[in-house]
Amino acid sequence: MMERELSDEEGDRENLISQNARQNDAVKSPDHHNHRSAFRIEDELRGRVSGAARRFNKRYILAIFLPVVILILYLTTDLKNVFQMRVPSIRDIEGGGLLVNRMRESELRALYLLKQQEIELVKMWNYTTLVGGSNFSLVNGSDSVNVNSGSDNSVLEDFKSRVFGQISLNRQIQGTLLSAHESEASVDLSANYTDSSLSDWTRCKKLDQRLADRKTIEWNPKSNKYLFAICVSGQMSNHLICLEKHMFFAALLNRVLVIPSSKVDYEFHRVLDIDHINKCLGSKVVVTFEEFAENKKNHLHIDKFMCYFSLPQPCFMDDERVKKLKGSGVSLSKVAAVWKEDVKKPKQRTVQDVLAKFSSDSDVIAIGDVFFADVEREWVMQPGGPIAHKCKTLIEPSRLILLTAQRFIQTFLGKDFVALHFRRHGFLKFCNAKQPSCFYPALQAAECINRVVERASTPVIYLSTDAAESETGLLQSLVVLNGKTVPLVRRPARNSAEKWDALLYRHGLEGDSQVEAMLDKTICALSSAFIGSSGSTFTDYILRLRKDWGSSSQCDEYLCQGELPNFIAEDE
């Protein structure tokens, strides 16, 4: 058995020696194989230890130099650009659909503007053809424009306005097309993209009133001589014009003007600044009825009643007016006309005519209503009036009304706006009785308004009207500029949250119809351009204020001026 075990060990040894022998390609003895095997194991252990040491040294070196390399890279490399990652936007995620839609909308808008420009260019062509017979010409390389003496300056202004509009429209087209390629910038399509050389040009320029050439007379009244103003015709606007003409008569006759009592006429002190008139003249030229009564010690008597108009009745006064005068404590002398004069056909009179017929030594005289009087028309109607003074105008709204109008404009309208007086109530019958009629259908009126708004290039209209909501609503839907509705702004009802009308409220003037009417006139008088109703004294008074205040513009006109209504109803 021991022999079998021994033979097994020798067999294993032989197998081990045989494997080592094959690796070295040599045959060794059993003793030599034992010695070599022991050294081989020792060498392998030594090799493993030295390999581990070398690996440890490499890791140590790497741990030292790696931070240094990272630091150098950090200092010398723009890591932001190296590692920057573009995050796709919503537009990109959606495959650029929004950008494509935006470009399409811009292109459609540009096409629309191009069509508008084509229409305007055709209008310009037709317009220049129309005025071709008036020697209207533009010469290349020259700044001169030839317009013969029979042509109005408005021809040139209209042409310049259209050219200006096309320049602006062209810049809008450019801005629209570029807007699709600007990711952040926005383009205001409603703005006038014009050259700097045209930035100060406007179609609705203020008119030069040439105040230096004004023809005037001095008003130096005798303190004890009075002209008692009597105004009968029409509403407040008529009475204000009547007062203005009375002032001219008082200046010619060297008399102090007496403002009528509120028992007989309107409460003028609520809408006018009487002291303003005296300050402008530098003396007491106008007195209230109460001041007159105090000066005369309540002995109120009109010594001489000389009527300017004889028809339809002397002084244009009916029995009711005479009763009102007597009811205010005024006694009258005989009412008689100095000449034959009809209110329906007034004759042109001169200063000499007035002095010859109305001069008197009596202390208090009256000449009746002079609203229709035609005395030195050009002299009376000139800007600033016929009387020498140091103000813009003598009869103007009170300070409270003027400030309220300015506050309303600052709150709702801003600097540039068109004012429209759209008279409708009772105007249909009145206008149709005239030749030609001055009452226009709403659609035709809107077309006329659009033309003025286009010339003025203003974003808003102030509407002063007595029209019903059905008409103003229709008008609002038809007034359009560059495809956008132009708002028609009216004075709102009082709201405690709004402070623009606080002055009227604090001074007890709120709700007074005459104060509100004067407020409307004042707002209209301060507008950039004004459209009035032909035949309305409300409009006439606004035009007088604009002329005196220097706010009249080349765009001011009557509604549909020069046109006939496209439809007129038959008479009753």
Side-chain angles (χ1 to χ4, degrees):
M1 182 174 178
M2 291 182 63
E3 291 179 355
R4 186 183 300 131
E5 291 176 357
L6 180 59
S7 64
D8 290 338
E9 287 180 7
E10 290 178 352
D12 292 337
R13 187 180 297 114
E14 288 178 358
N15 289 336
L16 178 61
I17 293 173
S18 176
Q19 290 176 359
N20 289 332
R22 283 194 301 268
Q23 291 177 358
N24 296 311
D25 297 323
V27 178
K28 302 291 181 180
S29 64
D31 294 336
H32 176 77
H33 287 309
N34 290 337
H35 179 76
R36 180 61 180 251
S37 178
F39 278 97
R40 179 67 178 176
I41 294 172
E42 182 179 354
D43 290 340
E44 288 179 357
L45 290 175
R46 187 180 297 112
R48 290 177 181 175
V49 171
S50 61
R54 283 195 300 271
R55 285 193 297 271
F56 176 80
N57 290 337
K58 290 180 180 179
R59 291 174 183 173
Y60 182 74
I61 293 172
L62 184 62
I64 293 175
F65 284 100
L66 184 59
V68 176
V69 173
I70 294 174
L71 180 62
I72 293 173
L73 290 173
Y74 177 80
L75 295 175
T76 59
T77 306
D78 187 356
L79 297 178
K80 180 179 180 181
N81 291 332
V82 173
F83 297 104
Q84 185 177 26
M85 180 182 294
R86 182 177 180 273
V87 180
S89 64
I90 296 177
R91 291 187 178 92
D92 296 333
I93 294 174
E94 295 179 355
L98 294 179
L99 180 59
V100 171
N101 290 337
R102 182 182 175 189
M103 292 181 66
R104 287 176 179 172
E105 290 174 0
S106 298
E107 290 168 357
L108 290 174
R109 176 66 174 161
L111 289 173
Y112 170 78
L113 293 174
L114 283 170
K115 184 63 178 177
Q116 294 299 111
Q117 188 176 42
E118 178 188 5
I119 293 172
E120 289 301 318
L121 289 171
V122 172
K123 288 181 181 179
M124 288 174 60
W125 173 261
N126 294 335
Y127 192 76
T128 53
T129 303
L130 178 65
V131 300
S134 301
N135 279 340
F136 183 91
S137 63
L138 293 175
V139 182
N140 291 334
S142 173
D143 293 332
S144 63
V145 177
N146 298 322
V147 182
N148 71 2
S149 58
S151 300
D152 193 84
N153 288 335
S154 62
V155 173
L156 177 59
E157 291 300 325
D158 285 338
F159 186 82
K160 289 167 66 176
S161 175
R162 292 183 182 276
V163 172
F164 181 85
Q166 295 317 299
I167 295 173
S168 177
L169 186 60
N170 185 271
R171 294 299 179 89
Q172 288 185 52
I173 296 172
Q174 294 183 47
T176 301
L177 292 173
L178 289 173
S179 66
H181 305 283
E182 298 175 1
S183 58
E184 299 296 335
S186 61
V187 178
D188 185 2
L189 298 178
S190 64
N192 281 333
Y193 293 91
T194 56
D195 189 83
S196 58
S197 62
L198 300 173
S199 59
D200 295 331
W201 186 85
T202 174
R203 171 66 180 89
C204 300
K205 293 190 298 185
K206 301 299 181 185
L207 295 177
D208 182 7
Q209 302 296 345
R210 303 179 63 182
L211 296 177
D213 301 332
R214 191 163 63 100
K215 180 182 178 182
T216 61
I217 61 169
E218 299 291 331
W219 188 0
N220 298 312
K222 298 176 182 178
S223 59
N224 62 338
K225 301 296 182 180
Y226 299 93
L227 173 62
F228 197 96
I230 295 176
C231 297
V232 179
S233 172
Q235 303 299 318
M236 171 66 87
S237 298
N238 299 52
H239 288 225
L240 292 174
I241 296 173
C242 174
L243 276 182
E244 235 180 302
K245 292 186 177 182
H246 263 98
M247 290 169 59
F248 182 52
F249 279 88
L252 292 175
L253 301 173
N254 294 322
R255 292 178 175 272
V256 176
L257 183 66
V258 180
I259 303 296
S261 167
S262 58
K263 295 179 181 179
V264 179
D265 211 327
Y266 292 106
E267 296 181 272
F268 290 108
H269 68 279
R270 294 175 69 86
V271 297
L272 299 178
D273 190 348
I274 306 300
D275 290 336
H276 166 79
I277 301 174
N278 293 323
K279 290 177 182 178
C280 291
L281 272 298
S283 62
K284 196 77 169 179
V285 296
V286 175
V287 295
T288 63
F289 180 81
E290 290 73 21
E291 290 173 325
F292 170 70
E294 184 179 350
N295 293 341
K296 300 297 291 182
K297 307 299 181 183
N298 290 323
H299 179 64
L300 309 179
H301 179 70
I302 297 178
D303 302 317
K304 203 165 187 177
F305 221 125
M306 301 176 285
C307 297
Y308 186 95
F309 286 103
S310 59
L311 298 172
Q313 61 259 0
C315 288
F316 202 39
M317 289 198 312
D318 53 16
D319 294 338
E320 182 180 356
R321 182 66 58 171
V322 173
K323 290 179 181 179
K324 285 184 177 181
L325 277 173
K326 293 180 178 180
S328 64
V330 178
S331 59
L332 312 177
S333 61
K334 182 181 179 180
V335 178
V338 298
W339 53 34
K340 185 178 180 181
E341 191 79 8
D342 191 344
V343 296
K344 294 183 179 180
K345 297 179 180 180
K347 298 176 182 177
Q348 292 186 4
R349 303 290 185 175
T350 65
V351 170
Q352 289 72 25
D353 294 335
V354 172
L355 293 176
K357 292 295 183 178
F358 296 98
S359 295
S360 174
D361 292 330
S362 301
D363 290 344
V364 182
I365 67 171
I367 60 176
D369 195 311
V370 291
F371 171 75
F372 295 102
D374 188 1
V375 178
E376 302 286 1
R377 183 185 305 170
E378 292 185 1
W379 195 358
V380 171
M381 295 298 295
Q382 66 183 336
I387 301 172
H389 57 83
K390 56 185 179 182
C391 302
K392 291 183 178 180
T393 184
L394 291 178
I395 295 183
E396 67 177 17
S398 68
R399 181 68 176 167
L400 291 176
I401 293 177
L402 178 60
L403 288 175
T404 301
Q406 292 174 349
R407 292 182 177 185
F408 178 86
I409 292 172
Q410 183 177 359
T411 302
F412 295 98
L413 303 172
K415 178 184 176 182
D416 297 319
F417 68 98
V418 172
L420 168 64
H421 174 224
F422 192 55
R423 171 76 185 275
R424 302 301 271 184
H425 181 68
F427 215 47
L428 176 59
K429 185 176 181 179
F430 170 81
C431 281
N432 283 357
K434 299 176 64 177
Q435 293 295 332
S437 176
C438 53
F439 193 91
Y440 299 89
L443 180 59
Q444 185 179 359
E447 293 174 351
C448 298
I449 295 168
N450 284 334
R451 289 197 293 268
V452 176
V453 172
E454 181 183 5
R455 292 206 312 271
S457 188
T458 52
V460 65
I461 296 175
Y462 176 70
L463 177 62
S464 173
T465 186
D466 54 6
E469 187 66 29
S470 56
E471 288 189 75
T472 58
L474 176 60
L475 193 68
Q476 174 64 89
S477 66
L478 297 172
V479 179
V480 177
L481 177 64
N482 295 329
K484 297 180 181 179
T485 300
V486 179
L488 302 179
V489 178
R490 303 178 67 177
R491 283 186 298 105
R494 170 160 177 78
N495 187 331
S496 59
E498 297 174 355
K499 300 302 180 184
W500 63 269
D501 59 348
L503 289 175
L504 300 183
Y505 178 77
R506 290 204 301 264
H507 289 82
L509 299 176
E510 181 199 10
D512 187 318
S513 60
Q514 298 307 323
V515 172
E516 292 179 348
M518 183 60 80
L519 179 59
D520 260 13
K521 294 171 186 173
T522 307
I523 295 172
C524 290
L526 295 173
S527 63
S528 304
F530 174 65
I531 307 171
S533 295
S534 177
S536 168
T537 54
F538 191 99
T539 284
D540 290 342
Y541 187 77
I542 293 171
L543 292 173
R544 282 171 175 256
L545 276 181
R546 290 179 64 78
K547 180 178 58 180
D548 292 346
W549 284 350
S551 57
S552 296
S553 79
Q554 292 179 340
C555 293
D556 291 0
E557 63 179 45
Y558 291 115
L559 180 65
C560 296
Q561 185 170 319
E563 295 185 24
L564 294 175
N566 58 30
F567 186 87
I568 301 176
E570 297 179 356
D571 294 334
E572 295 179 3

